[in-house]
Amino acid sequence: MRASALLSVELGRGGRSVVRELRSQAPMTMVPRRAAATSTDGTAVVHLVGSAATPVGGDLVDLRVHVGPGARLLLRGTAATVALPGQHAGRSRSTVHIEVAEGGTVEYLPEATVITARADHEAEMTISLGEGARARCRETLVLGRYGERSGLLTTTTHVVRGGTPLLRQRLDIGDERLTASSGYLAGARVLATETVVWNSDPVEPSSGQWWSLAPLAADGALATAVGDDAVIAERRLAEAVSHHPDAKELEVRSW
C-alpha cells in the first residue's frame, strides 16, 4: 500500500490558525476540529485517524505538514499504530516531514506505535524550523504486544532550526543482543521520547526514576522515559517534561 497526506496551516484573520490545505487517504486520514470548537489560543487542531491497518510489510506511508509564519498547529493521534508483517517479505516505511515557518508552532503528538513480532518497519521524522519557530514532537514505542517479542524497527529523527542541526538520532529495535543488554533499555518494553524546541531550554539535565530531560547542544531539549507499559512510560515522560522551564505551557491539552 502506498499512501500520502498533506496538511497546511496558515494564520488567518483575528489571529486564528486555519487549515488551508488538507489531503489525506486511507490508511492515514486527517480530521480537523470544527472552527467553533477551536482552542481558545487560536491553535488549529487536527486529529490523525488510522482508517486501515498499517504499516504492513511493503507499505509506504508519507505525511507532510507545513505551518505558516505565526500559525499554530496541534496534530494529535486518536489510536495506537500497529506495525505488522506483510504477506510477502518486505520492510514497511513511514515518513513524516514537518516544516514550520518563522514564528510558527507545531505540536505533533501521535499515539503509541506497537512493533509486533515479525514486523520490519522503518520510521523517519524530519522537522525543519524557521527562526523563532517552536516544536514539540512525541514518540512512544511499544516493543511487541503482550507476551511477544518485538519485531524490527529503525527510527530516525532529524531536527533543524534556521539551518542548524539540533538533533540527529537513530534507534534500532529488535536486535536480540541489544535487547539483552542492561545498558540498552534495561529490559523495558516501552520507550517514550519528546523533543521540545520552545521558548526556553533547561540549563542543566535532570533525571528521576527511569526518566531524563537533557538540553540539546545547539537548542531545544530531549525528554526520555522507559516503562513496562505505555501508561507508566508516558507518565514518566510527563514527569520529565514537567521539569522543562516552559512546563506550564507544555501541559497536555485537554480539548
Side-chain angles (χ1 to χ4, degrees), residues 139-165:
E139 182 178 60
T140 302
L141 303 174
V142 181
L143 282 60
R145 291 169 293 195
Y146 182 77
E148 74 173 8
R149 289 186 174 183
S150 171
L152 299 176
L153 170 69
T154 298
T155 175
T156 56
T157 303
H158 303 287
V159 183
V160 178
R161 188 183 204 180
T164 301

PDB file of all heavy atoms in Angstrom, residues 139-165:
ATOM      1  N   GLU A 139       7.148  10.563  20.611  1.00  0.00           N
ATOM      2  CA  GLU A 139       7.185   9.221  20.027  1.00  0.00           C
ATOM      3  C   GLU A 139       7.157   8.203  21.164  1.00  0.00           C
ATOM      4  O   GLU A 139       7.985   8.246  22.071  1.00  0.00           O
ATOM      5  CB  GLU A 139       8.443   9.034  19.178  1.00  0.00           C
ATOM      6  CG  GLU A 139       8.531   7.675  18.509  1.00  0.00           C
ATOM      7  CD  GLU A 139       9.766   7.536  17.645  1.00  0.00           C
ATOM      8  OE1 GLU A 139      10.888   7.657  18.188  1.00  0.00           O
ATOM      9  OE2 GLU A 139       9.617   7.321  16.424  1.00  0.00           O
ATOM     10  N   THR A 140       6.189   7.279  21.106  1.00  0.00           N
ATOM     11  CA  THR A 140       6.099   6.202  22.083  1.00  0.00           C
ATOM     12  C   THR A 140       6.154   4.879  21.347  1.00  0.00           C
ATOM     13  O   THR A 140       5.332   4.612  20.470  1.00  0.00           O
ATOM     14  CB  THR A 140       4.788   6.287  22.892  1.00  0.00           C
ATOM     15  OG1 THR A 140       4.707   7.558  23.553  1.00  0.00           O
ATOM     16  CG2 THR A 140       4.729   5.180  23.933  1.00  0.00           C
ATOM     17  N   LEU A 141       7.136   4.052  21.692  1.00  0.00           N
ATOM     18  CA  LEU A 141       7.360   2.780  21.013  1.00  0.00           C
ATOM     19  C   LEU A 141       7.113   1.637  21.986  1.00  0.00           C
ATOM     20  O   LEU A 141       7.695   1.596  23.075  1.00  0.00           O
ATOM     21  CB  LEU A 141       8.788   2.703  20.486  1.00  0.00           C
ATOM     22  CG  LEU A 141       9.213   3.826  19.536  1.00  0.00           C
ATOM     23  CD1 LEU A 141      10.695   3.714  19.217  1.00  0.00           C
ATOM     24  CD2 LEU A 141       8.384   3.796  18.265  1.00  0.00           C
ATOM     25  N   VAL A 142       6.244   0.707  21.583  1.00  0.00           N
ATOM     26  CA  VAL A 142       5.934  -0.466  22.395  1.00  0.00           C
ATOM     27  C   VAL A 142       6.547  -1.682  21.714  1.00  0.00           C
ATOM     28  O   VAL A 142       6.226  -1.988  20.568  1.00  0.00           O
ATOM     29  CB  VAL A 142       4.412  -0.650  22.554  1.00  0.00           C
ATOM     30  CG1 VAL A 142       4.111  -1.867  23.426  1.00  0.00           C
ATOM     31  CG2 VAL A 142       3.781   0.602  23.146  1.00  0.00           C
ATOM     32  N   LEU A 143       7.435  -2.376  22.420  1.00  0.00           N
ATOM     33  CA  LEU A 143       8.189  -3.490  21.850  1.00  0.00           C
ATOM     34  C   LEU A 143       7.400  -4.784  21.954  1.00  0.00           C
ATOM     35  O   LEU A 143       7.550  -5.558  22.898  1.00  0.00           O
ATOM     36  CB  LEU A 143       9.540  -3.634  22.555  1.00  0.00           C
ATOM     37  CG  LEU A 143      10.641  -2.655  22.147  1.00  0.00           C
ATOM     38  CD1 LEU A 143      10.239  -1.208  22.403  1.00  0.00           C
ATOM     39  CD2 LEU A 143      11.933  -2.977  22.879  1.00  0.00           C
ATOM     40  N   GLY A 144       6.526  -4.995  21.001  1.00  0.00           N
ATOM     41  CA  GLY A 144       5.727  -6.209  20.942  1.00  0.00           C
ATOM     42  C   GLY A 144       4.422  -6.099  21.696  1.00  0.00           C
ATOM     43  O   GLY A 144       4.292  -5.325  22.638  1.00  0.00           O
ATOM     44  N   ARG A 145       3.443  -6.880  21.267  1.00  0.00           N
ATOM     45  CA  ARG A 145       2.208  -6.990  22.017  1.00  0.00           C
ATOM     46  C   ARG A 145       2.455  -7.813  23.279  1.00  0.00           C
ATOM     47  O   ARG A 145       3.528  -8.366  23.473  1.00  0.00           O
ATOM     48  CB  ARG A 145       1.120  -7.633  21.144  1.00  0.00           C
ATOM     49  CG  ARG A 145       0.668  -6.733  20.004  1.00  0.00           C
ATOM     50  CD  ARG A 145      -0.188  -7.467  19.004  1.00  0.00           C
ATOM     51  NE  ARG A 145       0.550  -8.479  18.265  1.00  0.00           N
ATOM     52  CZ  ARG A 145       0.114  -9.048  17.146  1.00  0.00           C
ATOM     53  NH1 ARG A 145      -1.059  -8.690  16.648  1.00  0.00           N
ATOM     54  NH2 ARG A 145       0.843  -9.950  16.532  1.00  0.00           N
ATOM     55  N   TYR A 146       1.453  -7.888  24.134  1.00  0.00           N
ATOM     56  CA  TYR A 146       1.643  -8.577  25.414  1.00  0.00           C
ATOM     57  C   TYR A 146       2.083 -10.022  25.184  1.00  0.00           C
ATOM     58  O   TYR A 146       1.442 -10.778  24.449  1.00  0.00           O
ATOM     59  CB  TYR A 146       0.346  -8.560  26.216  1.00  0.00           C
ATOM     60  CG  TYR A 146       0.485  -9.208  27.577  1.00  0.00           C
ATOM     61  CD1 TYR A 146       1.106  -8.540  28.623  1.00  0.00           C
ATOM     62  CD2 TYR A 146       0.014 -10.504  27.788  1.00  0.00           C
ATOM     63  CE1 TYR A 146       1.243  -9.132  29.874  1.00  0.00           C
ATOM     64  CE2 TYR A 146       0.152 -11.109  29.038  1.00  0.00           C
ATOM     65  CZ  TYR A 146       0.768 -10.409  30.062  1.00  0.00           C
ATOM     66  OH  TYR A 146       0.916 -11.007  31.296  1.00  0.00           O
ATOM     67  N   GLY A 147       3.197 -10.395  25.796  1.00  0.00           N
ATOM     68  CA  GLY A 147       3.665 -11.767  25.735  1.00  0.00           C
ATOM     69  C   GLY A 147       4.445 -12.127  24.489  1.00  0.00           C
ATOM     70  O   GLY A 147       4.779 -13.301  24.296  1.00  0.00           O
ATOM     71  N   GLU A 148       4.753 -11.154  23.612  1.00  0.00           N
ATOM     72  CA  GLU A 148       5.528 -11.476  22.416  1.00  0.00           C
ATOM     73  C   GLU A 148       6.747 -10.571  22.297  1.00  0.00           C
ATOM     74  O   GLU A 148       6.796  -9.494  22.884  1.00  0.00           O
ATOM     75  CB  GLU A 148       4.675 -11.349  21.144  1.00  0.00           C
ATOM     76  CG  GLU A 148       4.389  -9.929  20.719  1.00  0.00           C
ATOM     77  CD  GLU A 148       3.680  -9.845  19.366  1.00  0.00           C
ATOM     78  OE1 GLU A 148       3.282 -10.889  18.822  1.00  0.00           O
ATOM     79  OE2 GLU A 148       3.515  -8.719  18.873  1.00  0.00           O
ATOM     80  N   ARG A 149       7.727 -11.038  21.528  1.00  0.00           N
ATOM     81  CA  ARG A 149       8.913 -10.241  21.286  1.00  0.00           C
ATOM     82  C   ARG A 149       8.621  -9.150  20.272  1.00  0.00           C
ATOM     83  O   ARG A 149       7.666  -9.227  19.502  1.00  0.00           O
ATOM     84  CB  ARG A 149      10.047 -11.116  20.752  1.00  0.00           C
ATOM     85  CG  ARG A 149      10.648 -12.056  21.783  1.00  0.00           C
ATOM     86  CD  ARG A 149      11.849 -12.771  21.179  1.00  0.00           C
ATOM     87  NE  ARG A 149      12.540 -13.580  22.160  1.00  0.00           N
ATOM     88  CZ  ARG A 149      13.650 -14.257  21.905  1.00  0.00           C
ATOM     89  NH1 ARG A 149      14.178 -14.212  20.675  1.00  0.00           N
ATOM     90  NH2 ARG A 149      14.234 -14.971  22.843  1.00  0.00           N
ATOM     91  N   SER A 150       9.490  -8.159  20.277  1.00  0.00           N
ATOM     92  CA  SER A 150       9.348  -7.079  19.303  1.00  0.00           C
ATOM     93  C   SER A 150       9.881  -7.515  17.941  1.00  0.00           C
ATOM     94  O   SER A 150      10.805  -8.337  17.848  1.00  0.00           O
ATOM     95  CB  SER A 150      10.130  -5.850  19.780  1.00  0.00           C
ATOM     96  OG  SER A 150      10.181  -4.874  18.765  1.00  0.00           O
ATOM     97  N   GLY A 151       9.290  -6.953  16.904  1.00  0.00           N
ATOM     98  CA  GLY A 151       9.846  -7.105  15.570  1.00  0.00           C
ATOM     99  C   GLY A 151      10.997  -6.136  15.384  1.00  0.00           C
ATOM    100  O   GLY A 151      11.548  -5.595  16.347  1.00  0.00           O
ATOM    101  N   LEU A 152      11.354  -5.869  14.137  1.00  0.00           N
ATOM    102  CA  LEU A 152      12.470  -4.990  13.828  1.00  0.00           C
ATOM    103  C   LEU A 152      11.969  -3.575  13.536  1.00  0.00           C
ATOM    104  O   LEU A 152      10.976  -3.387  12.834  1.00  0.00           O
ATOM    105  CB  LEU A 152      13.240  -5.513  12.613  1.00  0.00           C
ATOM    106  CG  LEU A 152      13.860  -6.901  12.747  1.00  0.00           C
ATOM    107  CD1 LEU A 152      14.507  -7.319  11.422  1.00  0.00           C
ATOM    108  CD2 LEU A 152      14.871  -6.932  13.878  1.00  0.00           C
ATOM    109  N   LEU A 153      12.666  -2.606  14.084  1.00  0.00           N
ATOM    110  CA  LEU A 153      12.317  -1.205  13.856  1.00  0.00           C
ATOM    111  C   LEU A 153      13.591  -0.362  13.804  1.00  0.00           C
ATOM    112  O   LEU A 153      14.473  -0.501  14.650  1.00  0.00           O
ATOM    113  CB  LEU A 153      11.419  -0.674  14.975  1.00  0.00           C
ATOM    114  CG  LEU A 153      11.190   0.843  14.980  1.00  0.00           C
ATOM    115  CD1 LEU A 153      10.337   1.266  13.785  1.00  0.00           C
ATOM    116  CD2 LEU A 153      10.550   1.298  16.278  1.00  0.00           C
ATOM    117  N   THR A 154      13.656   0.497  12.806  1.00  0.00           N
ATOM    118  CA  THR A 154      14.688   1.525  12.752  1.00  0.00           C
ATOM    119  C   THR A 154      13.977   2.865  12.692  1.00  0.00           C
ATOM    120  O   THR A 154      13.161   3.099  11.797  1.00  0.00           O
ATOM    121  CB  THR A 154      15.594   1.367  11.518  1.00  0.00           C
ATOM    122  OG1 THR A 154      16.257   0.110  11.586  1.00  0.00           O
ATOM    123  CG2 THR A 154      16.637   2.474  11.471  1.00  0.00           C
ATOM    124  N   THR A 155      14.235   3.718  13.655  1.00  0.00           N
ATOM    125  CA  THR A 155      13.593   5.031  13.673  1.00  0.00           C
ATOM    126  C   THR A 155      14.657   6.119  13.713  1.00  0.00           C
ATOM    127  O   THR A 155      15.628   6.024  14.463  1.00  0.00           O
ATOM    128  CB  THR A 155      12.632   5.162  14.876  1.00  0.00           C
ATOM    129  OG1 THR A 155      12.112   6.497  14.933  1.00  0.00           O
ATOM    130  CG2 THR A 155      13.321   4.851  16.183  1.00  0.00           C
ATOM    131  N   THR A 156      14.486   7.151  12.892  1.00  0.00           N
ATOM    132  CA  THR A 156      15.427   8.269  12.863  1.00  0.00           C
ATOM    133  C   THR A 156      14.670   9.574  13.026  1.00  0.00           C
ATOM    134  O   THR A 156      13.549   9.729  12.531  1.00  0.00           O
ATOM    135  CB  THR A 156      16.223   8.313  11.544  1.00  0.00           C
ATOM    136  OG1 THR A 156      15.306   8.371  10.438  1.00  0.00           O
ATOM    137  CG2 THR A 156      17.101   7.080  11.391  1.00  0.00           C
ATOM    138  N   THR A 157      15.288  10.503  13.739  1.00  0.00           N
ATOM    139  CA  THR A 157      14.711  11.823  13.962  1.00  0.00           C
ATOM    140  C   THR A 157      15.757  12.878  13.638  1.00  0.00           C
ATOM    141  O   THR A 157      16.879  12.808  14.138  1.00  0.00           O
ATOM    142  CB  THR A 157      14.259  11.989  15.423  1.00  0.00           C
ATOM    143  OG1 THR A 157      13.324  10.954  15.757  1.00  0.00           O
ATOM    144  CG2 THR A 157      13.595  13.344  15.634  1.00  0.00           C
ATOM    145  N   HIS A 158      15.385  13.830  12.785  1.00  0.00           N
ATOM    146  CA  HIS A 158      16.273  14.931  12.423  1.00  0.00           C
ATOM    147  C   HIS A 158      15.532  16.241  12.672  1.00  0.00           C
ATOM    148  O   HIS A 158      14.445  16.457  12.131  1.00  0.00           O
ATOM    149  CB  HIS A 158      16.682  14.852  10.946  1.00  0.00           C
ATOM    150  CG  HIS A 158      17.340  13.566  10.567  1.00  0.00           C
ATOM    151  ND1 HIS A 158      18.615  13.240  10.948  1.00  0.00           N
ATOM    152  CD2 HIS A 158      16.896  12.511   9.839  1.00  0.00           C
ATOM    153  CE1 HIS A 158      18.937  12.056  10.468  1.00  0.00           C
ATOM    154  NE2 HIS A 158      17.902  11.581   9.800  1.00  0.00           N
ATOM    155  N   VAL A 159      16.107  17.100  13.481  1.00  0.00           N
ATOM    156  CA  VAL A 159      15.517  18.404  13.774  1.00  0.00           C
ATOM    157  C   VAL A 159      16.539  19.479  13.408  1.00  0.00           C
ATOM    158  O   VAL A 159      17.682  19.440  13.867  1.00  0.00           O
ATOM    159  CB  VAL A 159      15.127  18.540  15.259  1.00  0.00           C
ATOM    160  CG1 VAL A 159      14.447  19.885  15.506  1.00  0.00           C
ATOM    161  CG2 VAL A 159      14.212  17.388  15.685  1.00  0.00           C
ATOM    162  N   VAL A 160      16.107  20.433  12.584  1.00  0.00           N
ATOM    163  CA  VAL A 160      16.972  21.523  12.126  1.00  0.00           C
ATOM    164  C   VAL A 160      16.242  22.838  12.367  1.00  0.00           C
ATOM    165  O   VAL A 160      15.042  22.950  12.098  1.00  0.00           O
ATOM    166  CB  VAL A 160      17.325  21.382  10.637  1.00  0.00           C
ATOM    167  CG1 VAL A 160      18.183  22.546  10.175  1.00  0.00           C
ATOM    168  CG2 VAL A 160      18.038  20.067  10.381  1.00  0.00           C
ATOM    169  N   ARG A 161      16.965  23.837  12.881  1.00  0.00           N
ATOM    170  CA  ARG A 161      16.358  25.146  13.109  1.00  0.00           C
ATOM    171  C   ARG A 161      17.248  26.220  12.489  1.00  0.00           C
ATOM    172  O   ARG A 161      18.415  26.344  12.842  1.00  0.00           O
ATOM    173  CB  ARG A 161      16.199  25.409  14.596  1.00  0.00           C
ATOM    174  CG  ARG A 161      15.399  26.673  14.917  1.00  0.00           C
ATOM    175  CD  ARG A 161      15.351  26.897  16.416  1.00  0.00           C
ATOM    176  NE  ARG A 161      14.217  27.685  16.828  1.00  0.00           N
ATOM    177  CZ  ARG A 161      13.963  28.015  18.079  1.00  0.00           C
ATOM    178  NH1 ARG A 161      14.762  27.589  19.050  1.00  0.00           N
ATOM    179  NH2 ARG A 161      12.923  28.753  18.385  1.00  0.00           N
ATOM    180  N   GLY A 162      16.694  26.965  11.535  1.00  0.00           N
ATOM    181  CA  GLY A 162      17.463  28.012  10.869  1.00  0.00           C
ATOM    182  C   GLY A 162      18.730  27.496  10.224  1.00  0.00           C
ATOM    183  O   GLY A 162      19.743  28.181  10.193  1.00  0.00           O
ATOM    184  N   GLY A 163      18.685  26.246   9.742  1.00  0.00           N
ATOM    185  CA  GLY A 163      19.845  25.650   9.106  1.00  0.00           C
ATOM    186  C   GLY A 163      20.813  24.971  10.051  1.00  0.00           C
ATOM    187  O   GLY A 163      21.760  24.314   9.617  1.00  0.00           O
ATOM    188  N   THR A 164      20.602  25.087  11.362  1.00  0.00           N
ATOM    189  CA  THR A 164      21.489  24.474  12.350  1.00  0.00           C
ATOM    190  C   THR A 164      20.887  23.160  12.852  1.00  0.00           C
ATOM    191  O   THR A 164      19.763  23.151  13.352  1.00  0.00           O
ATOM    192  CB  THR A 164      21.700  25.413  13.547  1.00  0.00           C
ATOM    193  OG1 THR A 164      22.272  26.640  13.100  1.00  0.00           O
ATOM    194  CG2 THR A 164      22.621  24.767  14.576  1.00  0.00           C
ATOM    195  N   PRO A 165      21.597  22.047  12.732  1.00  0.00           N
ATOM    196  CA  PRO A 165      21.082  20.778  13.253  1.00  0.00           C
ATOM    197  C   PRO A 165      20.970  20.821  14.774  1.00  0.00           C
ATOM    198  O   PRO A 165      21.912  21.203  15.469  1.00  0.00           O
ATOM    199  CB  PRO A 165      22.143  19.757  12.819  1.00  0.00           C
ATOM    200  CG  PRO A 165      22.894  20.402  11.709  1.00  0.00           C
ATOM    201  CD  PRO A 165      22.886  21.871  12.025  1.00  0.00           C
TER     202      PRO A 165
END
